[in-house]
């Protein structure tokens, strides 16, 4: 809210400052004001710092909690007597935090250099400005934030692979999650050593990226306001770029508001699923969706145990996945209802905005700034809950395991 943070006279309003700070810290990307025009250089630095803190903090927090969950459950199943003695030590936390820092800085620095060179050499932008653009967008991409220093996001670079693909690489790497990145770093060529989490994240990410690219490209292929006038190879690039953005990144290289409503619905599904756990992506996570999918397949086959990549899935994970998913659905439906009551926008537009906020994506059909204050205040806690809620809720379910000394008799209601 400081006057120095705004490019124009006076300071930002409390609501604009709160919304922007929340969106940056929760690495969402939704904005109520034009980032490069409204905020000064100081304001943009504050936004960048919040993005870095938010992404780094969430990765660290989720990784520490995940390590605690894995150790608690694994040692309980193997040696219950050693559960109390074997806790998460300071050395483990220290190495984990340092690992997150190293990975973040290496990826961000590499992408920043590529973008800086492209802006400077390809578009004749002065080196200091090119470096700032490269650093800002690299940090925003790796942390899946989606903040851009161009009023039209990245539409001016829609067909420039040297801009779009490095950003996509940073987004995908950040969305995989720290545990997966570390395991690939150690055992990239030895797939048999990969954990179920790594296999699910890689498999789910590949399927969703490919499926999203095909879906968006085909639906928008003849849309004159999006892909219609482009060459076929540019259409594929834009389709892939937006499939990556639905992993909770938030950049756009064509007008989202001009897309077909069917594309919005498909992107809602992709945004809701999100990326990998313990990463910078939001959503219910790829692993949660994959677990639900395998449960359905198991029920259809009439089998009793859910088997995933040669391993049997713990029954407690079934309940956790269902609980996280249904809670997320309730939040999205409830928030959509509230916004429908206080705005005149269509269901398609409101649902897209709500899913984008909950999944910390940042894509919008263009209605964010036009929402009434009460509508924007609905999105603020939704972004915060969507960022930390699934992590906290899932870990609480996993760590708070109570054993009864007795079992009640079974009975089955009619399902379906």
């Amino acid at each position: 809210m400081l006057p120095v943070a705004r490019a124009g006279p006076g300071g930002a309003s409390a609501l604009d400052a709160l919304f922007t700070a929340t969106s940056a810290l929760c690495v969402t990307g939704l904005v109520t004001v034009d980032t490069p025009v409204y905020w000064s250089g100081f304001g943009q630095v504050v936004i960048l710092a919040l993005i870095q803190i938010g992404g780094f903090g969430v990765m660290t927090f989720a990784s520490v909690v995940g390590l605690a969950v894995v150790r608690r459950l694994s040692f309980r199943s193997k040696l219950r007597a050693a559960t109390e003695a074997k806790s998460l030590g300071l050395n483990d936390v220290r190495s984990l935090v340092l690992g997150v820092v190293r990975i973040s800085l290496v990826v961000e620095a590499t992408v920043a250099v590529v973008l800086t060179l492209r802006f400077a050499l390809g578009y004749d932008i002065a080196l200091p400005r090119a470096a700032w653009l490269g650093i800002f967008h690299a940090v925003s991409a790796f942390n899946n934030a989606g903040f851009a220093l161009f009023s039209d996001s990245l539409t001016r670079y829609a067909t420039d692979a040297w801009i779009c693909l490095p950003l996509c690489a940073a987004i995908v790497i950040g969305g995989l999650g720290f545990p997966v990145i570390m395991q690939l770093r150690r055992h990239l060529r030895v797939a048999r050593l990969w954990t179920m989490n790594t296999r699910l994240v890689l498999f789910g990410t590949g399927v969703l990226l490919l499926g999203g690219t095909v879906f968006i490209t085909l639906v928008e292929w003849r849309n004159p306001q999006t892909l219609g006038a482009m060459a076929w190879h540019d259409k594929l690039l834009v389709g892939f770029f937006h499939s990556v953005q639905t992993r909770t990144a938030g950049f756009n290289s064509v007008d989202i508001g001009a897309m077909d409503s069917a594309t919005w619905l498909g992107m809602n599904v992709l945004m809701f699923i999100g990326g990998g756990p313990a990463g910078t992506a939001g959503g219910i996570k790829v692993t949660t969706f994959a677990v639900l999918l395998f449960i359905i397949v198991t029920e259809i086959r009439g089998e009793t145990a859910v088997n995933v990549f040669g391993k049997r899935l713990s029954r407690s994970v079934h309940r956790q996945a269902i609980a996280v998913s249904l809670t997320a659905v309730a939040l999205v439906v409830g928030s959509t209802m509230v916004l429908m009551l206080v705005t005149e926008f269509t269901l398609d537009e409101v649902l897209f905005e709500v899913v984008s906020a909950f999944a910390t994506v940042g894509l919008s059909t263009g209605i964010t700034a036009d929402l009434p204050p009460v509508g924007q205040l609905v999105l603020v806690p939704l972004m915060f809950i969507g960022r930390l809620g699934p992590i906290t809720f899932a870990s609480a379910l996993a760590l708070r395991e109570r054993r009864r000394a007795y079992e009640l008799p079974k009975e089955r209601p009619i399902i379906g």
Side-chain angles (χ1 to χ4, degrees):
M1 293 176 63
L2 295 175
V4 69
R6 186 180 174 185
S13 67
L15 182 56
D16 286 334
L18 173 64
F19 194 96
T20 303
T22 305
S23 183
L25 188 64
C26 297
V27 292
T28 303
L30 289 175
V31 294
T32 56
V33 294
D34 190 354
T35 302
V37 174
Y38 189 86
W39 302 108
S40 64
F42 174 81
Q44 294 171 12
V45 170
V46 171
I47 291 173
L48 184 66
L50 288 172
I51 292 172
Q52 186 68 81
I53 293 170
F56 168 73
V58 168
M59 284 185 71
T60 304
F61 171 69
S63 298
V64 170
V65 170
L67 185 57
V69 170
V70 169
R71 288 197 170 187
R72 170 82 175 272
L73 296 179
S74 62
F75 277 99
R76 170 175 290 180
S77 63
K78 294 179 181 179
L79 295 172
R80 292 189 60 187
T83 301
E84 296 298 328
K86 188 64 176 178
S87 60
L88 183 62
L90 294 177
N91 290 333
D92 297 313
V93 176
R94 181 176 179 273
S95 61
L96 187 148
V97 172
L98 291 177
V100 172
V101 171
R102 282 194 296 267
I103 290 174
S104 300
L105 294 181
V106 167
V107 175
E108 290 171 356
T110 302
V111 175
V113 169
V114 175
L115 294 179
T116 299
L117 292 175
R118 184 56 179 169
F119 284 130
L121 301 178
Y123 296 94
D124 199 25
I125 298 176
L127 187 59
R129 173 65 177 172
W132 171 238
L133 291 175
I135 293 172
F136 188 96
H137 291 92
V139 173
S140 183
F142 177 74
N143 292 288
N144 281 215
F147 278 88
L149 293 182
F150 306 103
S151 298
D152 57 355
S153 192
L154 297 175
T155 56
R156 66 187 68 183
Y157 304 113
T159 59
D160 190 339
W162 286 99
I163 298 292
C164 295
L165 293 183
L167 290 174
C168 287
I171 291 165
V172 172
I173 293 173
L176 288 177
F178 177 74
V180 174
I181 297 173
M182 287 299 295
Q183 187 158 68
L184 291 179
R185 180 183 172 188
R186 295 171 181 172
H187 308 296
L188 179 61
R189 298 183 179 180
V190 190
R192 62 183 175 81
L193 297 178
W194 294 354
T195 62
M196 182 188 294
N197 180 76
T198 298
R199 294 170 185 268
L200 285 176
V201 171
L202 293 178
F203 175 77
T205 298
V207 171
L208 292 174
L209 282 178
L210 178 60
T213 301
V214 173
F215 176 78
I216 294 172
T217 304
L218 290 180
V219 176
E220 297 295 323
W221 188 271
R222 297 184 182 277
N223 187 340
Q225 295 179 289
T226 55
L227 306 185
M230 297 181 182
W232 68 268
H233 51 86
D234 291 332
K235 292 180 180 181
L236 292 178
L237 174 62
V238 174
F240 172 73
F241 182 80
H242 283 87
S243 178
V244 173
Q245 303 315 305
T246 59
R247 313 320 309 288
T248 80
F251 295 113
N252 63 281
S253 59
V254 295
D255 184 6
I256 300 295
M259 285 182 166
D260 191 277
S261 58
T263 305
W264 290 351
L265 182 58
M267 293 174 75
N268 281 338
V269 174
L270 294 172
M271 292 190 296
F272 186 77
I273 295 172
T280 56
I284 63 171
K285 302 299 184 293
V286 171
T287 47
T288 305
F289 176 75
V291 166
L292 294 177
L293 183 61
F294 279 106
I295 291 175
I296 293 173
V297 172
T298 301
E299 287 297 322
I300 293 175
R301 290 178 175 177
E303 298 175 353
T304 57
V306 179
N307 299 314
V308 181
F309 299 127
K311 298 288 183 67
R312 183 169 57 86
L313 199 63
S314 171
R315 291 190 179 277
S316 62
V317 177
H318 304 188
R319 300 191 296 270
Q320 293 162 21
I322 294 172
V324 168
S325 301
L326 291 182
T327 303
V329 169
L331 285 170
V332 169
V333 172
S335 301
T336 301
M337 287 181 177
V338 173
L339 289 186
M340 289 295 292
L341 292 174
V342 300
T343 69
E344 298 297 328
F345 295 110
T346 65
L347 175 60
D348 287 345
E349 294 171 320
V350 171
L351 180 61
F352 192 94
E353 196 80 7
V354 168
V355 174
S356 181
F358 168 77
T360 67
V361 180
L363 292 174
S364 175
T365 58
I367 69 172
T368 311
D370 297 324
L371 290 173
V374 65
Q376 295 177 1
L377 287 175
V378 169
L379 296 183
V380 168
L382 188 63
M383 288 188 289
F384 190 82
I385 293 172
R387 177 70 279 184
L388 289 180
I391 300 172
T392 309
F393 187 47
S395 59
L397 291 174
L399 291 173
R400 191 187 177 200
E401 185 177 306
R402 292 171 27 180
R403 292 182 179 273
R404 288 178 179 263
Y406 59 91
E407 291 285 346
L408 295 174
K410 290 183 179 181
E411 186 172 350
R412 296 189 58 166
I414 300 173
I415 301 297

